[in-house]
Amino acid sequence: QVQLVESGGGLVQAGGSLRLSCAASGSIFSINVWAWYRRAPGKERELVAAITSGDSTNYADSVKGRFTISRDNAKNTVYLQMNSVKPEDTAVYFCNADLTLVNRYEYRYWGQGTQVTVSS
């Protein structure tokens, strides 16, 4: 089995910074794509950022220039550096991994979510 464990959420003032982490453990052969999603109150879940095994990145327009996604393959961990945060960034943030298991099957796994609250 595979587990994704997130950390780093919390309360931050507008204009501040926060770094989220998500570590994967289990029978993992490779992690092909990491992504961060968020779900704000009353809104649908949206993609925030994604990074491929080749380090290609993709960002939602609302976070471009403020958030940075990165990965540490040796630690099976993905990070989301959040700078210049805004109250509208308040949401539950979920990490997501498209990975290949040691048995070569491919699956998508989700973290449990971490709350980020930005005060004005």
Side-chain angles (χ1 to χ4, degrees):
Q1 274 293 358
V2 172
Q3 279 191 322
L4 302 186
V5 179
E6 297 150 352
S7 60
L11 176 64
V12 61
Q13 286 190 333
S17 297
L18 207 61
R19 190 174 86 150
L20 306 182
S21 301
C22 177
S25 62
S27 302
I28 299 169
F29 176 74
S30 65
I31 299 176
N32 308 313
V33 181
W34 278 108
W36 286 97
Y37 287 77
R38 68 186 180 187
R39 186 174 63 235
K43 295 186 177 181
E44 294 189 355
R45 186 176 61 196
E46 64 171 345
L47 176 67
V48 176
I51 184 168
T52 70
S53 56
D55 287 335
S56 294
T57 57
N58 181 44
Y59 295 93
D61 288 343
S62 58
V63 306
K64 280 181 182 176
R66 301 188 298 120
F67 291 8
T68 302
I69 188 171
S70 61
R71 60 190 290 168
D72 184 333
N73 294 328
K75 296 181 180 179
N76 281 342
T77 299
V78 66
Y79 305 97
L80 185 69
Q81 179 66 43
M82 306 168 61
N83 297 331
S84 302
V85 295
K86 304 175 181 179
E88 51 263 43
D89 294 321
T90 295
V92 179
Y93 285 72
F94 300 87
C95 66
N96 168 287
D98 286 345
L99 54 85
T100 303
L101 300 178
V102 294
N103 61 10
R104 300 303 191 265
Y105 282 97
E106 297 183 353
Y107 289 97
R108 171 170 290 184
Y109 286 89
W110 289 88
Q112 80 283 0
T114 186
Q115 177 70 45
V116 172
T117 302
V118 182
S119 62
S120 57

